[in-house]
Amino acid sequence: MKNIIFIGMPGSGKSTLGVVLAKKLGYSFIDSDLVIQEKYGTTLERIIEKYGDDGFIKIENDVNCTINAEHAVIATGGSAVYGETAMEHFKDIGTVIYLEVDEIEQRHVLEERVGSLKERGVVSNGKTTIDEIFEDRKNLYRKYADITLNLNGKSIRESVDDIYDNLINKDSNY
């Protein structure tokens, strides 16, 4: 199953780039956050309010383990890396790409893109800022990534071309 799975911080462009890359490849597109919302019939924010961060991480892990696609670009939630079983599942069904954001740029770009962490439905694990959340997750992103790409300062088109070139260089079956 040749899938492409994006991981990275909230606001790093996983969904935006995922849709464009899927179109370029003729793949389907799956946003795992939307799969969770559809299954639970409510927003991520409400799920986190009801079950807490730990409960949400379990829900996210369980739902992500059920995503079985072929020729799909899958944009995960930023906290997907807390779910070890799901991340191993994703590595089994495709290539995991970490969309890395520079630590300096993240403060400006991610905070602008994400807005309120609570309203966006971001698992904070007790952290209160984007910087703290990034520190908590960055080693997990690196651990699970087959490819790490820093796309800072690139347009959507340039980013998709960069991702595509990296996939083709890694495996000509895409």
Side-chain angles (χ1 to χ4, degrees), residues 1-151:
M1 290 192 258
K2 292 293 178 189
N3 298 298
I4 298 145
I5 299 96
F6 287 150
I7 61 174
M9 285 292 288
S12 63
K14 299 180 299 287
S15 295
T16 301
L17 295 173
V19 168
V20 177
L21 181 64
K23 286 181 181 180
K24 181 177 177 106
L25 294 171
Y27 279 23
S28 60
F29 174 74
I30 299 168
D31 185 315
S32 68
D33 282 347
L34 296 179
V35 174
I36 294 166
Q37 286 185 171
E38 187 175 312
K39 179 171 176 139
Y40 281 81
T42 191
T43 64
L44 299 180
E45 177 187 3
R46 299 263 189 282
I47 296 169
I48 293 168
E49 281 176 2
K50 183 173 182 178
Y51 298 99
D53 285 350
D54 290 340
F56 179 82
I57 290 168
K58 179 175 180 356
I59 288 167
E60 183 176 41
N61 185 64
D62 293 347
V63 171
N64 284 342
C65 285
T66 68
I67 296 175
N68 286 305
E70 192 166 332
H71 299 288
V73 177
I74 303 166
T76 66
S79 58
V81 291
Y82 291 129
E84 184 176 347
T85 310
M87 289 310 302
E88 293 190 10
H89 167 69
F90 284 143
K91 288 182 75 63
D92 285 343
I93 66 168
T95 301
V96 177
I97 299 176
Y98 168 31
L99 300 181
E100 182 180 55
V101 178
D102 283 340
E103 293 184 43
I104 292 170
E105 187 159 332
Q106 85 181 17
R107 280 185 206 96
H108 306 305
V109 175
L110 295 184
E111 287 176 358
E112 184 177 297
R113 289 180 187 170
V114 173
S116 165
L117 295 174
K118 184 179 186 303
E119 289 175 14
R120 176 78 182 249
V122 174
V123 170
S124 64
N125 272 352
K127 312 298 185 256
T128 58
T129 67
I130 289 281
D131 289 337
E132 290 174 346
I133 293 169
F134 177 69
E135 280 302 313
D136 194 43
R137 297 180 181 176
K138 70 181 178 183
N139 290 331
L140 292 171
Y141 291 138
R142 292 175 182 149
K143 172 184 174 180
Y144 291 116
D146 295 310
I147 298 171
T148 297
L149 294 175
N150 186 314
L151 305 172

